[in-house]
Amino acid sequence: IIFIPLLIVLHNIRKCCIPNFNIRAAREAKKLTQRELAVAVGVSQSLVAQWERGARSIDDKHLIKLKQILDVS
């Protein structure tokens, strides 16, 4: 019984940190390189690459910035 709420919380955390849009497609539509996007968001180029591959989740602060820069909702 103790584990069920924890699993729900972990599921919700993971779900909120995965964007509902394709970062690479949105970046390319704006004609931005990974490096340019990284500078605009304030992260490294390698982190942007990891986000695009789905290897790393995105925290809320960076997700908000990404949505603003890429004009996605």
Side-chain angles (χ1 to χ4, degrees), residues 4-72:
I4 293 172
L6 179 59
L7 289 175
I8 292 170
V9 169
L10 291 175
H11 174 73
N12 288 339
I13 290 171
R14 182 179 166 92
K15 188 175 181 181
C16 76
C17 298
I18 298 173
N20 59 351
F21 62 94
N22 184 307
I23 297 171
R24 182 177 181 181
R27 174 181 60 77
E28 289 176 345
K30 288 286 190 179
K31 303 202 184 302
L32 294 171
T33 65
Q34 286 182 344
R35 185 172 182 79
E36 291 168 334
L37 181 58
V39 168
V41 175
V43 298
S44 68
Q45 179 272 327
S46 63
L47 184 56
V48 170
Q50 291 173 4
W51 289 342
E52 289 185 354
R53 288 193 317 270
R56 293 276 302 267
S57 61
I58 306 171
D59 62 53
D60 289 337
K61 179 180 90 173
H62 291 126
L63 184 57
I64 290 167
K65 279 186 167 183
L66 271 178
K67 286 181 173 187
Q68 291 171 342
I69 294 163
L70 299 174
D71 291 326
V72 294

